[in-house]
Amino acid sequence: MSENCIFCKIIKGDIPSMKVYEDDSTLAFMDIGKDVDGHIVVIPKKHVKNILDCDNDTLTKLMANIKKISEHLTNDCGYNGINLLNNSGECAGQAVPHFHFHIIPRKTDDGVDCWPKFTGAKSTIEEIHNKIKMI
Ligand code: AMP
Ligand code: ZN
């Protein structure tokens, strides 16, 4: 629990939310952004900032629940797929500093574009590969 964290306040019930799923480790609720139909935010109940400081146990439970919610959306709610999005770090566009994934439920031909408008590569693929490869 972190004092001034909006999502911790949602977990506590101090800020209302439209819950989609909840268990001991995870909460999922409707995103209030009104940017796309069905936008869901999925968070661990443990306050961690993002994937970079998230322990594997928390991450494993979160991902298992994301799969459960995604299966519900596609098996029971008439959706055909989902986009799963995460911003980790301010430089990556993270606005709320409590780890979360965005689930965007998708229907065939819904016209939604969830892929970022990239600006074009500035380096060669080989240059970046040499810098980041782990093997
Ligand atoms: P991000 O930019 O990845 O940090 O996304 C933060 C998301 O949280 C945005 O999509 C916001 O619309 C959403 N959000 C912020 N406050 C609330 C809230 N009180 N209830 C539901 N969603 C929220
Ligand atoms: Zn928090």
Side-chain angles (χ1 to χ4, degrees), residues 4-71:
N4 295 317
C5 172
I6 291 178
F7 287 175
C8 282
K9 287 180 182 167
I10 287 178
I11 293 164
K12 242 177 113 188
D14 291 349
I15 293 178
S17 67
M18 283 173 268
K19 293 181 184 179
V20 174
Y21 175 83
E22 182 170 22
D23 69 11
D24 289 349
S25 68
T26 303
L27 179 64
F29 52 90
M30 301 307 292
D31 192 293
I32 53 167
K34 292 185 186 165
D35 44 9
V36 60
D37 286 340
H39 188 165
I40 299 165
V41 179
V42 191
I43 65 175
K45 287 190 172 175
K46 180 175 177 179
H47 179 90
V48 290
K49 183 177 175 187
N50 58 43
I51 197 164
L52 300 170
D53 69 343
C54 186
D55 59 275
N56 283 346
D57 181 51
T58 301
L59 185 60
T60 299
K61 288 174 179 159
L62 185 68
M63 292 310 299
N65 282 324
I66 285 169
K67 180 168 159 56
K68 195 181 289 183
I69 295 162
S70 302
E71 286 171 346

Side-chain angles (χ1 to χ4, degrees), residues 112-125:
V112 172
D113 183 2
C114 278
W115 194 250
K117 304 283 174 274
F118 290 119
T119 48
K122 297 181 183 70
S123 310
T124 65
I125 297 170

